[in-house]
Amino acid sequence: MTTTPVPAPAFVPADRPRRLRRTPALRRLVAETRLDPADLVLPMFVKEGLTEPLPISAMPGVAQHSRDSLRRAAAEAVTAGVGGLMLFGIPTVRDAVGSQATEPDGILNAALRDLRSDLGDSTVLMADLCLDEFTDHGHCGVLTPSGAVDNDATLVRYQQMGVAQAAAGADLVGTSGMMDGQVAAVRAALDAENHLDTGVFAYAAKYASAFYGPFREAVDSALQGDRRTYQQDPANRREAAREVALDVAEGADLVMVKPAMSYLDIVRDVANDPTVNVPLAAYQISGEYSMIEGAADRGWIDRDRAILESLTSIRRAGAQIVLTYWATEVAGWLRA
């Protein structure tokens, strides 16, 4: 058998970046962005009245927890090395002002006490500070007679909610309602009640996104309409810088961009802003999770690679902390 001679190359590259991609060990050695379990925060849902976990159909692998199953899942996450837990509460009874959000025995506050008792200081315990899960209209605040969200009346409820969560054991309260002045209002209320060590985790740039869809099921949302009068317009970029700057000036201890994957430019803007001198987080939200799970279920993508790639992209954009529903699972991979 004769072989055809390979002609001499017409051009020899002077630079060969492929040398550092040749083996997994080389690629690992020179990786510019790394994931660590401590970078990850697990959002968790606890629902009043449940005796066992209730799967969320729109979010395969995620469930609404009972108080007991929440304790087990939280312990598993902490054992895996996850950096923190963000709790969302789902009450049985809702009303116009979200009364259960500030009841000491309300589901969210009771669950916070459970986890503080179980876990001590072994994790960072966070609570979503917003009224949407607790109101019968599903909005993030108190409504005026005409049905608009009353910014300043809502701040009063946020102050009460922040104090209740701090008293229940939250390390950080997550101001997620996008009301003007919410960080300053909550900080003032915490300080007045001597919760000086409780931090404010500001959802500083939170967009009115279509990707929240599965979350509506996760919290049994009663919302009719949308939240475009208080969450940010997806078309706007400079506005996010203003929102973040206001929250930092008002005393935010951490700031967050939400959603993550469709807003990596915003994450990068905040990360590069020298005036933002607090840690930056990004929230990989329900729709981002469900898209990957749905495509993987159909065999269209490699699930595990897509998960790691998506999380790496958020860290690469500049987020120090990533909230993700895969936190426990991914932490296990990273520690294996």
Side-chain angles (χ1 to χ4, degrees):
M1 183 179 68
T2 59
T3 58
T4 303
V6 177
F11 173 78
V12 177
D15 295 313
R16 296 184 182 271
R18 285 183 53 191
R19 290 180 185 131
L20 299 182
R21 304 175 195 146
R22 187 173 54 83
T23 68
L26 276 167
R27 294 193 294 272
R28 184 170 59 247
L29 179 68
V30 301
E32 299 174 27
T33 305
R34 300 184 190 277
L35 289 173
D36 187 272
D39 303 330
L40 307 177
V41 171
L42 177 65
M44 308 182 78
F45 305 101
V46 57
K47 183 174 180 178
E48 187 175 13
L50 290 183
T51 57
E52 59 185 23
L54 180 63
I56 299 166
S57 63
M59 300 177 68
V62 181
Q64 296 174 331
H65 284 287
S66 68
R67 284 175 64 178
D68 285 341
S69 70
L70 178 79
R71 297 170 90 153
R72 293 191 296 270
E76 180 187 5
V78 172
T79 299
V82 167
L85 310 172
M86 175 65 80
L87 265 60
F88 297 83
I90 307 161
T92 301
V93 177
R94 293 166 164 165
D95 59 26
V97 297
S99 298
Q100 287 298 305
T102 48
E103 286 294 324
D105 293 327
I107 184 60
L108 179 55
N109 297 322
L112 285 167
R113 286 197 304 274
D114 289 343
L115 297 191
R116 179 55 66 210
S117 174
D118 290 353
L119 303 172
D121 293 331
S122 63
T123 193
V124 180
L125 192 54
M126 313 173 192
D128 182 63
L129 197 164
C130 195
L131 289 172
D132 58 323
E133 298 103 281
F134 298 92
T135 56
D136 55 11
H137 47 72
H139 277 288
C140 298
V142 179
L143 301 186
T144 66
S146 67
V149 175
D150 187 326
N151 190 96
D152 296 359
T154 298
L155 294 183
V156 175
R157 292 293 293 137
Y158 285 2
Q159 290 180 310
Q160 296 164 345
M161 195 173 179
V163 170
Q165 292 176 351
D171 294 304
L172 301 172
V173 294
T175 50
S176 65
M178 289 301 288
M179 296 298 121
D180 294 339
Q182 62 184 10
V183 171
V186 171
R187 182 73 267 160
L190 292 172
D191 291 351
E193 294 296 323
N194 206 35
H195 294 296
L196 303 178
D197 292 333
T198 303
V200 177
F201 191 177
Y203 289 51
K206 182 178 180 181
Y207 284 83
S209 172
F211 293 104
Y212 296 131
F215 183 87
R216 305 286 184 254
E217 179 189 344
V219 297
D220 297 344
S221 177
L223 180 67
Q224 299 295 317
D226 57 53
R227 298 187 172 118
R228 296 182 187 183
T229 64
Y230 44 102
Q231 294 177 354
Q232 284 184 249
D233 185 338
N236 293 350
R237 182 175 179 177
R238 290 192 304 270
E239 181 183 51
R242 182 185 184 193
E243 290 281 5
V244 172
L246 286 168
D247 282 358
V248 171
E250 290 177 16
D253 297 286
L254 303 87
V255 294
M256 181 155 64
V257 175
K258 182 180 180 182
M261 291 172 62
S262 293
Y263 296 87
L264 294 180
D265 58 329
I266 308 302
V267 175
R268 172 49 61 187
D269 286 346
V270 177
N272 284 347
D273 187 339
T275 68
V276 179
N277 55 2
V278 298
L280 170 62
Y283 195 145
Q284 186 181 52
I285 64 169
S286 60
E288 300 169 56
Y289 173 93
S290 297
M291 284 192 302
I292 290 176
E293 288 286 354
D297 182 64
R298 288 158 178 79
W300 295 342
I301 59 174
D302 181 316
R303 176 184 181 272
D304 295 359
R305 284 186 62 194
I307 291 170
L308 288 174
E309 185 176 336
S310 69
L311 293 171
T312 301
S313 75
I314 298 166
R315 289 279 287 115
R316 188 184 66 239
Q320 178 179 337
I321 300 160
V322 183
L323 279 73
T324 176
Y325 299 100
W326 287 302
T328 302
E329 183 179 7
V330 170
W333 299 347
L334 296 175
R335 299 183 75 176

